[in-house]
Amino acid sequence: MTIQVTLDDILSAARIVYTHMQATPQYRWPMLCERLGTEVWVKHENHTPVGAFKIRGGLVYFNHLAQSDRLPMGVITATRGNHGQSVGYAAGLYDIPVTIVVPHGNSVEKNAAMRALGVELIEYGDDFQASREFAEKLAHERSLEFVPSFHPLLIAGVATYSLELLRHVEDIDVVYVPIGLGSGICGMLAARDALKLNTEVVGVVSAHAPAYAKSFEAGYPIEAPVTTHIPTVWPVARRNPRRLV
């Protein structure tokens, strides 16, 4: 399935996002530039109300439900943290009860941050996939709406931070974007293409979760379970850029 997110989609999402938060800053840190030997800018998404970029997608997703008169009586999702905070914050704006499923051994700090938003937190399974499958089961049993981690509205929402960055800092050669389930990097690609820029977008994955890297290298989807074994570092840059983000 091909998802098309246009400049109009991102601008519409931005109007929703800025109702609840300001644009976040991007700074050029001199000592970081000196250390890396190039011009480097850092986009500070830790300045959002939940300390992560995911909130932008949640705000847009739940606004769409509200505008469509489709607000559910309760929602549920699976996460390791940032998506859960986004859902907890955005659903809370509409007084919608939220249930979050996380795997055992999840970040204590992330769990506390989600609980602080008033969600019901359930620990289940040894990894995200097990938590996700359990959340879908509970959604059926409890008549809750399952909020996905990847959706066009989420992409349009998180693309607003990419739009801010690419409009503020000119002539970026390469931008590095972490990949979880993909909304962040898809948002960056959408913003770059909407602005008709030539910026190279490099996805960064954990060495413990190389499925995206292996799939990209092979040209087709490859399953790769999350492990504690650290494989060979995947190459992420092919040239020496003048300006990094």
Side-chain angles (χ1 to χ4, degrees), residues 143-162:
S143 298
L144 302 173
E145 179 165 326
F146 182 82
V147 182
S149 301
F150 187 85
H151 187 278
L153 290 170
L154 300 180
I155 296 173
V158 301
T160 59
Y161 90 76
S162 299

Side-chain angles (χ1 to χ4, degrees), residues 84-108:
Q85 288 178 264
S86 170
V87 172
Y89 185 96
L93 296 174
Y94 302 95
D95 296 321
I96 302 173
V98 178
T99 302
I100 301 291
V101 183
V102 301
H104 291 294
N106 197 52
S107 164
V108 174

Side-chain angles (χ1 to χ4, degrees), residues 139-231:
H140 177 72
E141 293 176 354
R142 298 185 181 184
S143 298
L144 302 173
E145 179 165 326
F146 182 82
V147 182
S149 301
F150 187 85
H151 187 278
L153 290 170
L154 300 180
I155 296 173
V158 301
T160 59
Y161 90 76
S162 299
L163 192 67
E164 293 167 9
L165 173 67
L166 295 173
R167 279 182 161 178
H168 182 87
V169 184
E170 296 182 356
D171 300 324
I172 298 175
D173 288 327
V174 182
V175 59
Y176 292 91
V177 186
I179 302 178
L181 285 182
S183 64
I185 192 167
C186 287
M188 178 62 73
L189 290 166
R192 179 202 63 182
D193 293 347
L195 295 175
K196 296 179 171 57
L197 300 176
N198 294 319
T199 302
E200 180 181 5
V201 178
V202 177
V204 181
V205 299
S206 166
H208 300 291
Y212 276 110
K214 288 186 175 183
S215 299
F216 186 80
E217 185 177 39
Y220 56 86
I222 292 179
E223 292 187 10
V226 175
T227 69
T228 57
H229 170 65
I230 300 179

Side-chain angles (χ1 to χ4, degrees), residues 38 44 122 130-131:
T38 190
H44 285 276
I122 299 174
S131 297

